[in-house]
Amino acid sequence: MKKSLGAKALLPITPVMLVGTYDDDNKPNLMAAAWTGICCGKPPCLNVSLRAATYSHRWIMQNQVFTLIPACEGFLAETDYMGIASGREVNKFEACGLSALEGSEVKAPYVDEWPMAVECKVVHVAELGLHTMFVGQVMDIKLDEAYINDKGLPDINKLRPIVYTPENRTYFGVGEELGGAYSVGMPLYKK
């Protein structure tokens, strides 16, 4: 029997991303966010939802650009720190010994040491209550060559992204491959 958990924003896991912005002094900032996702294929768009109280929210509203950087197992402590500290008080790049690079398509920072970054320009803003959802059109994706698979896509086994369980407030790594999408279910498909 299933038990009701009530109405809440709950999924078992969410991807963890760093959100990159610049402030008025051109100081790069990163914020860990787990309320992110793909929201459109054509044009390619990703979204991130942030509370207005966050430092990053202000700069996305003002600059209308951001980067999304998938959090990886090799940078777990830095990722968590990006969600604890505020860019109002500290330069998080300096605190973690990371190098900021500016996007080639949008004026937003990404991390040189991290394997992947997605450059986005804001195309839609939706006020949803406590959070603002920013929909960003993907302008470019940067990926270190060592993390590209034989299909020219991110190699998840090398990238080793982390996911977050919102209610438990815990990070997990992504597990083993289980099977091919649009393939393992074909025996059940009836035309």
Side-chain angles (χ1 to χ4, degrees), residues 68-70 72 110-111 114-118 141-144 154 159:
L68 285 178
I69 303 150
C72 303
Y110 64 96
V111 184
W114 243 271
M116 185 175 176
V118 182
I141 298 173
K142 307 283 194 272
L143 183 60
D144 288 348
L159 196 60

Side-chain angles (χ1 to χ4, degrees), residues 35-49:
W35 295 36
T36 65
I38 296 171
C39 56
C40 189
K42 288 191 182 186
C45 292
L46 305 177
N47 68 294
V48 61
S49 294

Side-chain angles (χ1 to χ4, degrees), residues 17-23 27-33 48-68 82-83 85-88 92-93 109 122 132 134:
M17 298 283 175
L18 299 180
V19 181
T21 58
Y22 283 116
D23 68 12
K27 180 181 82 176
N29 185 54
L30 295 171
M31 173 190 171
V48 61
S49 294
L50 304 177
R51 289 179 296 109
T54 66
Y55 194 60
S56 297
H57 182 283
R58 175 180 179 183
W59 305 117
I60 295 174
M61 287 293 284
Q62 179 174 306
N63 301 328
Q64 295 292 294
V65 294
F66 60 92
T67 54
L68 285 178
M82 301 300 172
S86 172
R88 285 184 187 93
K92 296 181 196 180
F93 278 91
V122 174
T132 303
F134 298 99

Side-chain angles (χ1 to χ4, degrees), residues 85-154:
S86 172
R88 285 184 187 93
E89 288 117 29
V90 65
N91 182 320
K92 296 181 196 180
F93 278 91
E94 288 177 2
C96 290
L98 299 172
S99 308
L101 296 177
E102 185 172 306
S104 60
E105 303 302 315
V106 302
K107 186 172 173 40
Y110 64 96
V111 184
D112 188 24
E113 294 82 1
W114 243 271
M116 185 175 176
V118 182
E119 300 180 39
C120 298
K121 75 171 182 178
V122 174
V123 294
H124 185 71
V125 176
E127 296 295 338
L128 302 173
L130 184 61
H131 287 75
T132 303
M133 181 176 66
F134 298 99
V135 175
Q137 182 174 339
V138 176
M139 303 309 294
D140 193 23
I141 298 173
K142 307 283 194 272
L143 183 60
D144 288 348
E145 287 184 35
Y147 293 84
I148 299 175
N149 68 17
D150 58 355
K151 295 178 182 174
L153 299 170

Side-chain angles (χ1 to χ4, degrees), residues 133-186:
M133 181 176 66
F134 298 99
V135 175
Q137 182 174 339
V138 176
M139 303 309 294
D140 193 23
I141 298 173
K142 307 283 194 272
L143 183 60
D144 288 348
E145 287 184 35
Y147 293 84
I148 299 175
N149 68 17
D150 58 355
K151 295 178 182 174
L153 299 170
D155 186 327
I156 195 166
N157 292 312
K158 292 180 181 175
L159 196 60
R160 302 192 55 79
I162 60 175
V163 294
Y164 178 69
T165 59
E167 289 294 308
N168 294 315
R169 302 178 93 179
T170 307
Y171 301 110
F172 286 88
V174 176
E176 66 189 64
E177 181 179 328
L178 301 177
Y182 306 102
S183 174
V184 297
M186 287 308 287

